[in-house]
């Protein structure tokens, strides 16, 4: 079975940095490589929003709110996708979720990791 486990969240001051990791299991390497990987976040009282996407060819896209501050990357050998978050703001506070979109039509979600940006 496919599982995604996020880690790296925590409490950080405004202007600080965190790196989130999403480790996948249950994928064979070839299936993981062709899967689109995404980071979403959800703040209290708000809709879950797409933060960043990395495709099978490592093309990336970012939400306007994080562009220039966040970087998504993937290590297909380790089956890990990362979200490097710099210059963090209070409005970045949310639960961050990893989502895998494999080519066979089912999405997989992790349980999320809490990021809190506060003084």
């Amino acid at each position: 079975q496919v599982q995604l486990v996020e880690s790296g969240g925590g409490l950080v001051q405004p202007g600080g940095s965190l790196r989130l990791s999403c480790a996948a299991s249950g994928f064979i390497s070839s299936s993981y490589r062709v899967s689109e990987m995404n980071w979403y976040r959800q703040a209290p009282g708000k809709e879950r929003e797409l933060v960043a996407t990395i495709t099978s060819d490592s093309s990336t896209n970012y939400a306007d709110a994080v562009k220039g501050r966040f970087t998504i990357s993937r290590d297909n050998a380790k089956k890990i996708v990362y979200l490097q978050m710099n210059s963090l703001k209070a409005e970045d506070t949310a639960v961050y979720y990893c989502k895998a979109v494999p080519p066979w039509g089912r999405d997989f979600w992790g349980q999320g990791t809490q990021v809190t940006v506060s003084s």
Side-chain angles (χ1 to χ4, degrees), residues 36-40 49-74 81-84:
E36 180 183 277
M37 304 299 296
N38 304 269
W39 284 100
Y40 286 76
E49 63 176 341
L50 178 63
V51 174
T53 296
I54 185 163
T55 66
S56 59
D57 67 353
S58 294
S59 178
T60 59
N61 287 287
Y62 300 92
D64 287 343
V66 308
K67 196 170 297 182
R69 299 187 296 120
F70 291 11
T71 303
I72 188 171
S73 61
R74 64 193 296 165
V81 61
Y82 302 98
L83 186 67
Q84 178 67 47

Side-chain angles (χ1 to χ4, degrees), residues 84-102:
Q84 178 67 47
M85 305 185 296
N86 298 326
S87 302
L88 284 161
K89 306 173 180 179
E91 52 262 44
D92 296 319
T93 296
V95 177
Y96 284 72
Y97 298 90
C98 180
K99 183 178 80 170
V101 185

Side-chain angles (χ1 to χ4, degrees), residues 3-119:
Q3 288 188 314
L4 303 175
V5 179
E6 301 95 336
S7 62
L11 175 64
V12 65
Q13 294 185 0
S17 297
L18 285 174
R19 187 178 73 163
L20 306 183
S21 298
C22 172
S25 61
F27 281 98
I28 63 172
S29 295
S30 58
S31 294
Y32 184 84
R33 182 178 58 81
V34 299
S35 295
E36 180 183 277
M37 304 299 296
N38 304 269
W39 284 100
Y40 286 76
R41 68 185 182 186
Q42 188 166 24
K46 298 184 65 177
E47 295 287 315
R48 188 171 297 187
E49 63 176 341
L50 178 63
V51 174
T53 296
I54 185 163
T55 66
S56 59
D57 67 353
S58 294
S59 178
T60 59
N61 287 287
Y62 300 92
D64 287 343
V66 308
K67 196 170 297 182
R69 299 187 296 120
F70 291 11
T71 303
I72 188 171
S73 61
R74 64 193 296 165
D75 184 334
N76 289 336
K78 297 173 66 175
K79 299 177 186 175
I80 298 175
V81 61
Y82 302 98
L83 186 67
Q84 178 67 47
M85 305 185 296
N86 298 326
S87 302
L88 284 161
K89 306 173 180 179
E91 52 262 44
D92 296 319
T93 296
V95 177
Y96 284 72
Y97 298 90
C98 180
K99 183 178 80 170
V101 185
W104 55 83
R106 180 186 172 185
D107 299 344
F108 297 91
W109 291 86
Q111 292 299 304
T113 185
Q114 176 71 49
V115 172
T116 302
V117 185
S118 177
S119 300

